[in-house]
Amino acid sequence: RSFSSVKNPGILKSRFPDGNIPGNETLTQYVTQHFDDYGNDVAIINGVTGESYTYLQLKDLIRRFGSALTRLGFKQHDVLAVFSPNVPEYAIAFFGATSVGGVVTTANPTYTADELAHQLRHSNAHYVITVPEVAETVKAAKYKCPNVKEIFVIGSDVPECRSFSELLEDDGLAFPADVPVNVTEDVAVLPYSSGTTGLPKGVVLTNNNIVANLRQIIHKGMLEFNRHEDSLIAQLPFFHIYGMVAVLSCCLRQGVKIVTIPRFEPELYLRVIQDYKVNRVMMVPPIALFLSKHPLVDQYDLSHVKDLMCAAAPMGINLTMALRDRLNPQSLRQGYGLTETSPVTHLCMEDEFAPGAVGVIIPNTEIKVIHTETGVALGEGEDGEICVRGPQVMKGYLNNPEATAGCIDAEGWFHTGDIGHYDDKGYFYIVDRLKELIKYKGLQVAPADLEAVLLGHPGVQDVAVIGLPDDEAGEVPKAFIVKKTDDVTEQEIVDYVAGKVAPFKKLRGGVEFVKEIPKSASGKILRRTLRDKSRI
Ligand code: 4UV
C-alpha cells in the first residue's frame, strides 16, 4: 500500500507528497500576506449587526492595535487574553497581539470568574479583551489576578474597563519595526486542553505550529477555498482551536468572507447561512443533528451549501446519511485533530464520501497506530492508539514538563489518547477514547476539573466523573459519589456544581451514589469500570 512505508514498518504517511513549510513565517505574516490583494473585499462581518471589515481595514486595524498594545508596554512574549464570543473584532485582537510577537490565550466566554481567573493567572495574561455581556466576569476574575493590568471592552463602555475602540484610534506609529520572532520556538497561541488526564493545561502552539497546519490543510480537496465563491459562517467559537484555525485563520489567509454569530440560535444560524449565501459550513455533531432533524431547516434556502465538515467529536454513519438525504451537499465529511496538534491531522477529501471516517492523513504528517499495552505498531483494520508526528504537534504544555513527557515520547510521537484504525484506502476511524476526556457538544470537559469541584462539597467523601453517551450532546458528565454525610441529595450536588462551573460542564448525566469508587492498586480511578456499569 502506498501510504505504508516499507522502510519504517508501522509508520503511515499522507497519500499526498509533503508540501513546503518554510518555517520562517509568523502566524500574522502568513495569515495577512495577501490582504493588500484582497483589498476592499469583506473579510469578516457581524451576522447580527451587519457591521463588517474589509481586508484593508483589517490590516490597518491590526497594525493600530499592535501599536496601541506596544504603547501600553506590551512586549514580545507577553500574553493577551481574549474572553469573547465570536465578533469581527476578535480577529483584530487576535492578530494584533500576535503581530507584535505576543501570545494570545483564548478562553470560553461562558466561564465563571473562578474558571477564567485560573487561566488568566496560569497564562500570566496582562490584558483581557472582552465584550460588555461578560465584562463583570472578567472584573471579578481580575481581582484575583494581580498580573492582569487592564480590561478592554469591545462595544459599549463598562465601568472600570477601557474601551477597545479607543485602542483602534492609535496612529499605528508605535508598531515595533522588527520583532525577532523565532517562529519554531516562540508561542503564538495558548489555548487550554486537559489532554489525556488531569486539569486543563496551557497548550503551547508556536507560530510555526499553526502556520504549518494551515499550509497542510490548504490543499486541493481539503480546505482550499475559492475566494471569489466561498463564504463561511463562524459559529464554531474562535476560542476553540477548531474555530480559531480552520475558520478564522484559514478563511482570512485565503481571502474568503466570514460571517460571525456570537452564539448558536436556530433562526439566526439558518438566516445567516441563507442571507449571506454561506456555502461551506464547519460544524460539530450537535449542529449536524440540528441540520438533519430540525423542522425550521425547511423554511430556509440552504441550497448553496456545498461543503459540510464536521469535527471535534464523532459524526456517526446514521447521522451522516440523514444529513446527506436532507441537504444533499456536494461534500459531507469529517476532520479529526486535537488542540495539541494545531489541530488537524486527518481530513476527509471533498470528493470522496467516506461516512464514519475521520479522514486521510494530511501532508507532512506521520501516523502510527499502536497497541495500547505493548506499544507495537499495528496494521490495517487493527484498533490501537493513534500517534502523530509532524510540524503541527505542540511544543508542550506550559510549565508542565511531566504532562508533556506523558504524551510526547522521545521520538517525537504525540500520543492522542484516541483509539482507532485505518482501512485499505488510508481512511481512519476513531472508535473509542483511552483518555479521561468528556466531550460536550465538541467542547472539552475534564473529569478531574469536576471532581475537584465536587470534592469541595462537604457531603462528598470521594468522587469520579465520567461521560455518559447522549444523543444530542455526544456526552454529558455524570458523577459517581461516595457520601460523607447521609443527607446529601442528587439535586443538591447537581445545583452545587451548576453554581461553580460554566453551563456546558453541568452534571447533565446526573449523580449516582456508590459505596466506593473503583480504583487500581496505584489509586487511579477505573473509569472504564464505571462506564461499563453505566451502560447496563
Ligand atoms: O482538543 P480538542 O477539543 O480538539 C478538537 C479539534 C477539532 C478539529 C479536528 C479537525 C479539524 O479539521 C478541525 O479543524 C478541528 O476538537 O479535542 C480533541 C479530541 O476530540 C475528539 C478526539 O477525542 C480528540 O482527541 N475528536 C476530534 N475530532 C473527532 C474526535 C472526530 N472527527 N471523531 C471523533 N472524535
Side-chain angles (χ1 to χ4, degrees):
R1 291 180 308 273
S2 58
F3 58 89
S4 174
S5 149
V6 177
K7 247 193 338 210
N8 298 304
I11 298 181
L12 310 168
K13 297 271 293 175
S14 175
R15 57 157 95 152
F16 302 103
D18 282 353
N20 177 31
I21 298 169
N24 59 8
E25 302 152 303
T26 68
L27 175 58
T28 322
Q29 277 166 356
Y30 178 73
V31 168
T32 64
Q33 191 177 356
H34 303 302
F35 277 20
D36 285 337
D37 301 336
Y38 303 153
N40 292 319
D41 287 357
V42 170
I44 191 161
I45 176 161
N46 186 322
V48 176
T49 66
E51 286 168 308
S52 66
Y53 297 97
T54 67
Y55 276 94
L56 284 180
Q57 285 171 328
L58 206 52
K59 182 185 169 183
D60 176 54
L61 293 169
I62 287 170
R63 186 176 175 83
R64 287 171 189 266
F65 183 67
S67 170
L69 277 181
T70 306
R71 285 184 211 277
L72 287 168
F74 186 89
K75 298 181 306 297
Q76 187 182 11
H77 309 304
D78 283 353
V79 179
L80 174 95
V82 185
F83 185 70
S84 168
N86 287 4
V87 287
E89 290 75 13
Y90 208 111
I92 301 168
F94 188 88
F95 293 106
T98 54
S99 71
V100 296
V103 176
V104 178
T105 192
T106 54
N108 184 330
T110 68
Y111 272 176
T112 63
D114 279 344
E115 289 169 324
L116 176 62
H118 176 264
Q119 184 169 335
L120 294 179
R121 249 194 328 265
H122 188 264
S123 63
N124 192 25
H126 287 183
Y127 297 97
V128 186
I129 308 295
T130 191
V131 295
E133 291 77 7
V134 291
E136 289 308 314
T137 309
V138 187
K139 281 200 229 170
K142 182 173 181 280
Y143 287 119
K144 301 176 181 188
C145 302
N147 51 295
V148 174
K149 297 177 183 161
E150 209 108 50
I151 304 168
F152 290 95
V153 180
I154 299 165
S156 47
D157 289 344
V158 173
E160 296 165 58
C161 302
R162 289 180 59 186
S163 119
F164 179 73
S165 56
E166 217 177 83
L167 295 179
L168 303 185
E169 284 161 20
D170 188 283
D171 60 13
L173 296 178
F175 192 91
D178 234 336
V179 186
V181 179
N182 180 342
V183 302
T184 53
E185 286 297 319
D186 293 348
V187 194
V189 291
L190 190 65
Y192 276 66
S193 161
S194 59
T196 52
T197 182
L199 296 172
K201 296 171 268 290
V203 178
V204 174
L205 297 176
T206 65
N207 282 269
N208 196 57
N209 282 149
I210 311 265
V211 172
N213 204 229
L214 289 164
R215 284 188 169 275
Q216 290 169 299
I217 60 181
I218 300 176
H219 182 101
K220 198 167 168 32
M222 289 186 171
L223 295 177
E224 186 179 86
F225 300 153
N226 182 329
R227 78 175 212 86
H228 302 292
E229 282 172 18
D230 295 347
S231 57
L232 282 88
I233 182 168
Q235 172 271 321
L236 299 169
F238 292 148
F239 71 78
H240 184 254
I241 195 76
Y242 187 5
M244 183 196 298
V245 175
V247 181
L248 181 64
S249 307
C250 195
C251 285
L252 294 180
R253 160 72 191 185
Q254 300 184 80
V256 310
K257 185 165 70 189
I258 307 171
V259 192
T260 65
I261 56 170
R263 72 198 75 80
F264 177 76
E265 283 165 20
E267 281 96 352
L268 174 65
Y269 184 73
L270 295 167
R271 183 171 57 72
V272 161
I273 295 179
Q274 171 186 272
D275 293 357
Y276 289 96
K277 300 222 175 337
V278 167
N279 63 348
R280 290 183 187 268
V281 174
M282 299 214 197
M283 58 188 182
V284 289
I287 302 288
L289 188 69
F290 163 80
L291 288 172
S292 79
K293 279 229 170 103
H294 205 284
L296 262 180
V297 174
D298 294 326
Q299 295 175 28
Y300 292 81
D301 176 13
L302 309 184
S303 58
H304 38 266
V305 175
K306 63 173 185 188
D307 181 26
L308 283 164
M309 191 180 101
C310 189
M315 178 168 72
I317 293 179
N318 290 344
L319 174 53
T320 307
M321 291 313 196
L323 191 52
R324 187 156 108 134
D325 286 347
R326 190 170 201 194
L327 294 186
N328 196 27
Q330 284 168 34
S331 99
L332 170 58
R333 54 197 178 128
Q334 288 194 76
Y336 163 81
L338 310 87
T339 308
E340 288 83 347
T341 56
S342 305
V344 191
T345 64
H346 295 71
L347 277 177
C348 290
M349 305 302 294
E350 268 175 337
D351 55 356
E352 296 173 24
F353 185 54
V358 301
V360 296
I361 306 171
I362 62 171
N364 306 70
T365 301
E366 293 176 299
I367 298 289
K368 212 162 55 163
V369 182
I370 62 168
H371 191 282
T372 54
E373 265 134 47
T374 64
V376 170
L378 302 172
E380 183 189 315
E382 295 180 305
D383 283 323
E385 183 177 17
I386 314 271
C387 300
V388 185
R389 195 159 64 178
Q392 73 271 52
V393 173
M394 66 167 178
K395 197 166 142 185
Y397 292 117
L398 182 69
N399 302 332
N400 199 335
E402 282 122 71
T404 306
C407 65
I408 303 178
D409 67 25
E411 290 172 20
W413 289 101
F414 168 71
H415 296 241
T416 62
D418 290 312
I419 308 280
H421 60 264
Y422 59 94
D423 68 12
D424 58 346
K425 295 187 190 67
Y427 272 92
F428 279 70
Y429 298 80
I430 304 295
V431 299
D432 201 359
R433 212 180 275 144
L434 201 57
K435 55 189 169 190
E436 290 173 0
L437 185 62
I438 298 168
K439 277 250 153 157
Y440 176 80
K441 298 191 174 176
L443 293 176
Q444 292 196 4
V445 180
D449 188 2
L450 291 177
E451 285 157 6
V453 169
L454 283 159
L455 284 172
H457 188 284
V460 173
Q461 176 74 43
D462 201 2
V463 60
V465 172
I466 61 157
L468 213 58
D470 182 86
D471 284 344
E472 208 207 314
E475 289 171 304
V476 290
K478 167 178 178 176
F480 290 86
I481 288 176
V482 180
K483 291 184 188 185
K484 193 185 270 177
T485 51
D486 253 349
D487 53 347
V488 265
T489 65
E490 167 164 8
Q491 195 57 49
E492 190 186 328
I493 299 282
V494 168
D495 293 346
Y496 176 79
V497 172
K500 291 204 176 291
V501 301
F504 76 98
K505 297 185 192 168
K506 283 189 203 172
L507 285 179
R508 288 186 169 79
V511 171
E512 186 174 331
F513 293 107
V514 290
K515 289 222 164 59
E516 64 175 345
I517 301 295
K519 291 191 183 151
S520 70
S522 61
K524 261 188 86 157
I525 296 170
L526 296 173
R527 292 176 202 279
R528 192 162 293 270
T529 311
L530 292 170
R531 258 162 63 184
D532 293 344
K533 189 167 149 37
S534 291
R535 286 213 181 95
I536 302 164

